[in-house]
Amino acid sequence: SNILIDPKSLKVIGVIDFGDMVYSCKVYDLAISMAYSMIKPLPNCSGTETAAAILQGYCQTNEISECERKILRICIASRLAISITLGALSIYKDPNNEYLKRHAQPGRNALRSFWTHDPPDVDSIFKNAIETGTSSKIETH
């Protein structure tokens, strides 16, 4: 609902999210985007592969430090855990809300799948996404 689409080409041209406007590390925003992409992965892709596609695109216009890369996995998992926890609290407060119930399980599945994915494999997938994104930099003005 916060995605801007070009009406002619039907391509994504921007994303707006005023709900989480805070001053913090840029890697957290990246991790949040990657985490939420894992809840409903791209067709024929795992959650990790879908998150890597976000990372690759990010690296076309932004740099990510080695330190940021190293904490990315824990930041993604933390965001998924926070979402699951807040969702559980919301369901506890409103147990008849079917919308909340319907969206709870995919988040749990995403976290379980991601956290049990072999960490060196995740690191390799993310490193490749960074290298691919960096090698196809897009100039911004």
Side-chain angles (χ1 to χ4, degrees):
S1 61
N2 295 336
I3 298 173
L4 303 175
I5 307 282
D6 182 306
K8 292 180 183 169
S9 68
L10 299 179
K11 291 185 178 184
V12 175
I13 57 171
V15 179
I16 301 173
D17 187 357
F18 297 113
D20 288 328
M21 285 180 45
V22 295
Y23 179 77
S24 68
C25 301
K26 288 191 332 182
V27 73
Y28 297 151
D29 289 331
L30 174 61
I32 291 166
S33 297
M34 292 172 71
Y36 288 138
S37 77
M38 298 171 115
I39 293 173
K40 187 164 175 35
L42 295 168
N44 303 312
C45 289
S46 70
T48 303
E49 292 166 334
T50 300
I54 300 280
L55 178 58
Q56 179 180 333
Y58 179 87
C59 290
Q60 288 179 337
T61 58
N62 297 278
E63 292 184 15
I64 183 168
S65 72
E66 183 65 13
C67 180
E68 290 171 323
R69 183 194 59 78
K70 286 180 179 179
I71 66 168
L72 199 50
R73 181 174 176 269
I74 193 75
C75 290
I76 292 167
S78 296
R79 184 54 182 218
L80 287 169
I82 289 167
S83 292
I84 293 164
T85 303
L86 292 175
L89 176 62
S90 296
I91 290 170
Y92 174 78
K93 290 179 176 180
D94 186 3
N96 296 319
N97 188 323
E98 293 302 318
Y99 175 83
L100 294 172
K101 292 177 187 176
R102 186 172 52 250
H103 289 84
Q105 191 61 45
R108 289 192 296 269
N109 292 344
L111 178 57
R112 185 178 304 112
S113 175
F114 182 60
W115 197 246
T116 59
H117 194 147
D118 182 47
D121 188 40
V122 171
D123 193 51
S124 176
I125 291 168
F126 286 175
K127 277 183 180 178
N128 185 49
I130 291 166
E131 290 168 7
T132 304
T134 302
S135 68
S136 56
K137 279 270 191 205
I138 298 172
E139 291 299 317
T140 58
H141 302 292

